[in-house]
Amino acid sequence: MKAHIKWIEKSSFTGQSGSGHTIVMDGPPGNGGHNRGVRPMEMLLLGLGGCTAFDVVQILQKSRQPITDCVVEISAKRAETIPKVFTHIHVHFKVSGHGLKEHHVKRAIKLSSEKYCSASIMLGKVASISHNYEIIDID
């Protein structure tokens, strides 16, 4: 994998992924930014959320569960001193479908967090990560 980061001005950067997709990263005005993009530490949480959501959806589909939606909400706490690493991350899944089996949802989240999601496993070496879920039954 590769990434290319280019400084624009003050606290603004563009990042281009190896697959050619570009995003804007920026800091808050108090740090010289213009609030035009995602903060770099927010990108880590977005990566974690995308990684685990991808896994959970795929695992549930392979288990032939009738999933119609998956939303991941993440909250995190950071250390108060530099380096301000994440100390705790909580991942909340909202999984929707018609007649989803709870044990399949629980298993998918466990497999993602312990085996498949590289972002979760890597961040778990620095922060404690907790998970919970709700199943929304769609009629």
Side-chain angles (χ1 to χ4, degrees):
M1 295 183 113
K2 291 188 176 189
H4 178 82
I5 313 302
K6 179 163 179 24
W7 180 41
I8 305 297
E9 65 170 341
K10 298 185 179 181
S11 293
S12 299
F13 298 82
T14 58
Q16 185 174 36
S17 67
S19 59
H21 300 280
T22 302
I23 52 96
V24 174
M25 293 178 281
D26 198 5
N31 286 0
H34 298 286
N35 201 29
R36 293 184 185 143
V38 178
R39 311 287 188 269
M41 290 298 282
E42 291 173 330
M43 291 286 298
L44 290 173
L45 293 181
L46 290 171
L48 166 61
C51 182
T52 194
F54 180 88
D55 291 341
V56 168
V57 168
Q58 275 204 328
I59 293 165
L60 289 173
Q61 287 174 333
K62 287 179 182 177
S63 299
R64 298 192 173 159
Q65 289 296 293
I67 183 171
T68 58
D69 196 16
C70 180
V71 174
V72 177
E73 297 174 345
I74 300 175
S75 56
K77 292 183 181 178
R78 293 176 67 184
E80 295 195 20
T81 57
I82 294 174
K84 294 184 178 182
V85 299
F86 291 118
T87 57
H88 181 77
I89 300 169
H90 181 71
V91 184
H92 178 71
F93 293 85
K94 292 182 179 181
V95 185
S96 302
H98 180 70
L100 290 169
K101 303 277 190 250
E102 183 174 9
H103 71 276
H104 282 289
V105 173
K106 191 174 183 177
R107 179 179 170 270
I109 293 168
K110 182 176 173 67
L111 283 171
S112 176
S113 66
E114 295 178 3
K115 184 175 182 180
Y116 294 114
C117 179
S118 303
S120 179
I121 293 163
M122 182 174 57
L123 287 170
K125 293 183 184 291
V126 177
S128 66
I129 301 179
S130 59
H131 303 82
N132 70 350
Y133 60 89
E134 60 185 286
I135 297 172
I136 302 165
D137 194 37
I138 305 298
D139 292 329

